[in-house]
Amino acid sequence: MILNTPIDMHLHLREGKILKDVLPYTESQFAAAVVMPNLVPPVDNKERLLSYKEEILSNSKNFIPLMNVFMREYSEEELKELKEFIFAIKLYPAGITTNSEGGVRGIETVYPVLEIMQELGIPLSIHGETHGFVMEREKEFIPVYEKLAKDFPKLKIIMEHVGTAEMLDLLDKYENLYATITLHHLLLTLDEVAGGMLNPHYFCKPVVKTPKDRAEIQKFVKSGHKKIMFGSDSAPHPIKNKLKGAAGVFSAPVILPALAEFFEEDTETFQKFISDNARENFNIDVPEKKVKLIKEEWTAPYIVGDIKPMFAGKIFKYKVIS
Amino acid sequence: MILNTPIDMHLHLREGKILKDVLPYTESQFAAAVVMPNLVPPVDNKERLLSYKEEILSNSKNFIPLMNVFMREYSEEELKELKEFIFAIKLYPAGITTNSEGGVRGIETVYPVLEIMQELGIPLSIHGETHGFVMEREKEFIPVYEKLAKDFPKLKIIMEHVGTAEMLDLLDKYENLYATITLHHLLLTLDEVAGGMLNPHYFCKPVVKTPKDRAEIQKFVKSGHKKIMFGSDSAPHPIKNKLKGAAGVFSAPVILPALAEFFEEDTETFQKFISDNARENFNIDVPEKKVKLIKEEWTAPYIVGDIKPMFAGKIFKYKVIS
């Protein structure tokens, strides 16, 4: 099976040692990835953006980072200057996830920025959760997505890491809404976190949800829906931080083998999900890169640096050949 | 506020060092407690039962342990011999919770035992969860409770640590069903486990559920429903085991101060919940013991031995005076 130019539409690479540890796993499977800006301090200006991009490039040979910046009240001048260097601007409701303490509280505070983004054609990427009950936060956020979609009809809005089935219904209702799906929301439920012993390694935000949500997400992904794109939200944390309760699943090492099993022989839908939909929806123009999978047993790594990957030690039927 | 003869209808004391560490907290607040038998190996014969009871008595001065044994296929002779030493028999669906690996799989396998228990007047205590999705396991178990209640109309059945609102509706439907409520299911939701950083110390089975479940449970408890009894399910685990994912909340140190705040001035309902309902429903005859609470700030312990208690370090408005 050969995949053409896979793109991970939502990736956390961190900085320093962790970046060095995790980036090779994405580079070996993807042509490009949208890199999230929630560092400390956040990536929210040109200087920081370019130095972060440089760090990524200096640690890879054949990989295109598509950079996001963290939402704040940017001026028109700033956005005009940033535009050529970024893929999108990421909006976190304040305090919801890792290093999002500086995120936006009332969505209206960034309306002027969204106006300019719409004009300039800069997409908006959103972590869509309220501060409500943990299993209902995404559902409660639906009216915010609807309001944004209506108020900014020309702004392309990405609902990131959708874990709640009802959100996907918005895709056909609003032309300007898109969705990314992670490997863990596609394959896991809260049972993997809290069904047996508590498993911090599968704890993330949004939390993985119910079997019904998972089944609906799988159905949408298998349908080949054009507005659904793969975005891993692979989020590495050292084990000691995971044991302290940090949210995030480090899925990067196992993505293509796991998805190959999920899609089985339907490589056409796999290709759309992992690349074509994203490239077409967002006119992403990156050099072509072929990634080959062969049907051969492959064991997922038990550990990467200080980080425990998703499906650690699991034997997959497919192996990535570089 | 003076409580008369408080009884904890569901308690885990463990053995050895942990028992020594935790028992004083229960002894200072309760006249008696129903002690659960899920040790390794389980308490499921007279010899083990009496030696465990002796261990408890030798570590307390003014405390009555009401002993449970672990369900297995007991003969009539065994049960007749056990009867005078036990309060109830505890049934765990296999593999659902701590040390329940030897629990019962098909409920019909213990029907002959339930027949004898019904005849002899030995109550049945149940951890009511299926092997389904973690948030639905109690709800899915409702038909089992209904079947048991109908098939053994004279058998008193205790639905332990109810966390799902719908289960409480069974109390008025079946004369022989009773319920215990824990402090954590009364006060917490899944938000305390997974709403912020992952918090293993509030992870338990059944998991604490939704705000709606909690609100309904609070309403039932405040109503003074006669068939609802307090059972802490206080379940101490050393911190290192909690960090490995063990299920259980160690609430023993904070029970009466927390409940006093919950009931505020309604000491009548508090008294029923913490003692009278249990004594009347099950003809529990233990020596009277008064426990006094005064309105004075009290800080919950941060640590007990190697165990982190519920509400560690929280300041309460009430203090227990011994």
Side-chain angles (χ1 to χ4, degrees), chain A residues 85-106:
Chain A
F85 303 107
I86 62 175
F87 170 71
I89 298 181
K90 178 73 185 283
L91 188 156
Y92 292 90
I96 277 294
T97 190
T98 305
N99 300 338
S100 70
E101 290 74 10
V104 169
R105 291 206 180 267

Side-chain angles (χ1 to χ4, degrees), chain A residues 134 137 191 194-196 198 203 205 245, chain B residues 134 137 191 194-196 198 205 245:
Chain A
V134 64
R137 287 173 189 175
D191 273 346
L198 191 67
F203 170 65
K205 294 291 173 65
Chain B
V134 64
R137 287 174 189 175
D191 273 347
L198 191 67
K205 293 292 173 66

Side-chain angles (χ1 to χ4, degrees), chain B residues 79-279:
Chain B
L79 289 183
K80 279 183 173 162
E81 215 194 332
L82 279 171
K83 181 176 162 33
E84 67 173 297
F85 303 107
I86 62 176
F87 169 71
I89 298 180
K90 178 73 184 284
L91 188 156
Y92 293 90
I96 278 293
T97 190
T98 306
N99 300 338
S100 70
E101 290 74 11
V104 169
R105 291 206 180 265
I107 199 86
E108 291 80 6
T109 61
V110 292
Y111 261 43
V113 182
L114 299 182
E115 282 290 359
I116 307 165
M117 289 167 65
Q118 177 171 251
E119 257 171 58
L120 297 176
I122 301 173
L124 174 67
S125 158
I126 308 192
H127 181 125
E129 288 195 286
T130 66
H131 289 78
F133 177 58
V134 64
M135 294 293 277
E136 305 288 336
R137 287 174 189 175
E138 290 191 280
K139 202 164 142 184
E140 288 175 3
F141 201 82
I142 288 176
V144 182
Y145 278 133
E146 297 208 79
K147 185 169 159 48
L148 287 171
K150 280 186 262 188
D151 289 349
F152 301 96
K154 302 284 178 199
L155 178 68
K156 288 186 176 184
I157 300 168
I158 308 172
M159 304 187 290
E160 299 287 355
H161 41 57
V162 169
T164 298
E166 289 97 322
M167 297 175 98
L168 294 175
D169 296 331
L170 300 181
L171 294 174
D172 293 325
K173 210 168 156 192
Y174 299 96
E175 206 193 323
N176 54 333
L177 289 188
Y178 301 84
T180 61
I181 304 288
T182 74
L183 188 66
H184 45 288
H185 291 95
L186 183 69
L187 299 180
L188 310 180
T189 71
L190 190 67
D191 273 347
E192 270 81 22
V193 180
M197 305 279 275
L198 191 67
N199 185 349
H201 299 288
Y202 292 153
F203 170 63
C204 60
K205 293 292 173 66
V207 294
V208 287
K209 302 240 164 26
T210 70
K212 191 165 163 278
D213 287 306
R214 178 177 60 178
E216 279 292 306
I217 290 169
Q218 292 187 346
K219 206 177 75 182
F220 262 83
V221 168
K222 285 207 163 144
S223 78
H225 197 294
K226 198 179 148 39
K227 293 168 89 181
I228 289 182
M229 307 169 292
F230 178 72
S232 69
D233 195 15
S234 177
H237 289 282
I239 289 174
K240 70 173 195 304
N241 292 350
K242 286 300 286 176
L243 293 180
K244 285 179 193 156
V249 175
F250 175 49
S251 59
V254 299
I255 292 168
L256 294 186
L259 286 177
E261 287 193 13
F262 175 77
F263 284 105
E264 292 170 356
E265 303 304 312
D266 185 5
T267 49
E268 197 182 319
T269 309
F270 189 2
Q271 175 63 37
K272 283 183 193 169
F273 180 57
I274 203 74
S275 176
D276 299 358
N277 289 354
R279 285 191 286 163

